[in-house]
Amino acid sequence: MEFLSAKPDDCDEIIRLQRLAYESEAKLYQDWTIPPLTQTSAALQKEFPDLTILKAVNGGKIIGSVRAQLIDNVCHIGRLIVDPDFQGKGIGSKLLQHIENCFSKAVQFELFTGSKSESNIRFYLRNNYEINQTQALSETISLVYFVKLNETC
């Protein structure tokens, strides 16, 4: 297993994996229009100048990815995905650790997930993130925001 910087050539494979990984979220919320499912490869390519995008590679195949951006000393982490066939093997935690290490100068790390995504919430709590707030987006969708102080600063 390797954890590497993603390249623009990886966009098609990352988007394919992203759609696969977010299917469970779409089913949970009965919403197939969530941004991770509608994002295109071209849109992801446009994000490369602004984001750090990592990939987990096993046997030459991308099986995980995460992206982040530093804004005002805060590292905003998003789209942490792992191929469903490889979930529960610590890959998500390792991706999270690697992206945090890329932003060692950040004061804190922030991310969010859906309020109905209980396994994601447990995952972030296990990785030392604390719930910061919950925000309703609509009558049926709320987001849970997490924060983790950077212990190295």
Side-chain angles (χ1 to χ4, degrees):
M1 175 89 49
E2 293 181 286
F3 297 90
L4 307 166
S5 293
K7 307 286 185 240
D9 289 351
D10 296 321
C11 287
D12 288 343
E13 197 170 351
I14 290 172
I15 290 296
R16 180 200 57 76
L17 178 60
Q18 183 172 294
R19 289 184 180 142
L20 183 65
Y22 274 91
E23 277 183 15
S24 60
E25 295 293 300
K27 289 176 185 172
L28 187 60
Y29 292 95
Q30 291 297 301
D31 185 352
W32 294 89
T33 65
I34 58 176
L37 292 179
T38 60
Q39 185 177 31
T40 64
S41 182
L44 177 56
Q45 283 185 349
K46 290 179 183 174
E47 292 181 359
F48 267 83
D50 299 321
L51 301 178
T52 296
I53 304 174
L54 301 181
K55 61 183 177 180
V57 180
N58 186 35
K61 179 182 173 189
I62 297 175
I63 59 163
S65 182
V66 65
R67 53 194 92 160
Q69 180 178 31
L70 189 67
I71 302 172
D72 296 329
N73 293 320
V74 175
C75 176
H76 297 268
I77 300 171
R79 306 270 166 93
L80 174 60
I81 55 174
V82 175
D83 185 313
D85 291 339
F86 290 87
Q87 290 178 2
K89 300 178 188 296
I91 297 165
S93 293
K94 288 177 184 167
L95 276 167
L96 197 54
Q97 182 181 19
H98 280 285
I99 201 75
E100 289 171 358
N101 290 342
C102 289
F103 293 92
S104 60
K105 301 282 189 220
V107 174
Q108 68 184 29
F109 305 99
E110 294 182 358
L111 50 83
F112 64 87
T113 192
S115 63
K116 294 180 185 177
S117 305
E118 294 175 9
S119 61
N120 291 348
I121 292 169
R122 285 191 306 272
F123 169 80
Y124 292 124
L125 291 172
R126 272 195 322 270
N127 282 279
N128 301 314
Y129 281 77
E130 296 179 3
I131 295 174
N132 186 37
Q133 67 173 321
T134 301
Q135 178 184 12
L137 295 183
S138 68
E139 289 182 19
T140 57
I141 298 176
S142 292
L143 297 177
V144 178
Y145 289 85
F146 292 84
V147 65
K148 178 180 177 180
L149 295 179
N150 188 352
E151 305 284 327
T152 63
C153 283

